[in-house]
Amino acid sequence: MDTSQARELAFRLLHGDPDRWLHVQAVAARADELRTSVPEAEGSVLVTAAWLHDIGYSPALRETGFHPLDGARYLEQAGHSREAALVAHHSGARFVAEVRGLVAELAGFPFVEDPLTDALTYADQTVGPRGERLSVADRLAEAIRRHGPDAPASLAAPRRDPYIYAAAERTEARL
């Protein structure tokens, strides 16, 4: 899938949720800025994955209610395995999957810790829910405030946050 196809798909699935659409547009723009942190041949994959990272929030794709998994399943069924794996594991989703009891389901998508995964996480974790630019620390704190302390992402924070900070540090070092 190329970047324009990813943008069109994201628009079709998410434009009905104005805040989510603002977030996705800003994450894609941020990913474009981060192209130099990944190998040159991976730059378009990074931006494509950024457009797609939240498509699992679409009611049309909802199966489990865990957006990384629901989006990844859709992409896998459509023949986009690489993008599916990136969407499945964006922003430390594996830690949230543990809390939600979805480890086995997420395990169907390979996780690789590499510059591409790091940059996608960094792009997502430096953009707020309405597209505003935030620091990683502010974004993590905002998510806990917005979802509450008992939400799966909040409960996963002790394990997830160190991964996100490390991905951010690695990405910044590559820039």
Side-chain angles (χ1 to χ4, degrees):
M1 176 178 300
D2 68 29
T3 302
S4 64
Q5 291 169 319
R7 183 190 183 285
E8 289 171 20
L9 177 61
F11 175 78
R12 184 169 50 84
L13 292 169
L14 299 173
H15 80 278
D17 180 345
D19 286 348
R20 178 74 46 207
W21 180 234
L22 287 171
H23 169 76
V24 168
Q25 290 176 85
V27 171
R30 184 73 171 125
D32 194 52
E33 295 169 7
L34 299 172
R35 282 176 179 260
T36 59
S37 72
V38 302
E40 188 175 339
E42 304 284 296
S44 63
V45 177
L46 172 61
V47 178
T48 295
W51 279 113
L52 299 171
H53 82 283
D54 274 354
I55 63 170
Y57 277 115
S58 171
L61 304 187
R62 188 162 304 165
E63 291 180 17
T64 67
F66 184 42
H67 80 277
L69 181 57
D70 292 341
R73 284 179 169 175
Y74 174 83
L75 292 168
E76 182 71 31
Q77 289 170 358
H80 304 292
S81 312
R82 186 152 191 224
E83 294 87 348
L86 289 164
V87 167
H89 291 286
H90 78 274
S91 297
R94 68 187 185 281
F95 302 107
V96 182
E98 290 175 8
V99 173
R100 296 183 79 135
L102 295 170
V103 171
E105 290 85 346
L106 200 64
F109 300 94
F111 171 74
V112 178
E113 188 173 290
D114 64 4
L116 186 57
T117 303
D118 285 350
L120 179 59
T121 293
Y122 187 70
D124 186 34
Q125 295 301 311
T126 55
V127 172
R130 286 168 293 290
E132 66 276 24
R133 191 69 61 94
L134 297 173
S135 70
V136 172
D138 288 343
R139 173 74 159 121
L140 293 172
E142 175 279 323
I144 290 175
R145 281 191 307 274
R146 183 166 36 99
H147 296 295
D150 296 326
S154 301
L155 296 172
R159 294 205 40 201
R160 179 179 175 240
D161 290 4
Y163 164 77
I164 291 172
Y165 281 116
E169 289 174 14
R170 289 188 298 264
T171 300
E172 288 172 354
R174 290 181 190 112
L175 292 170

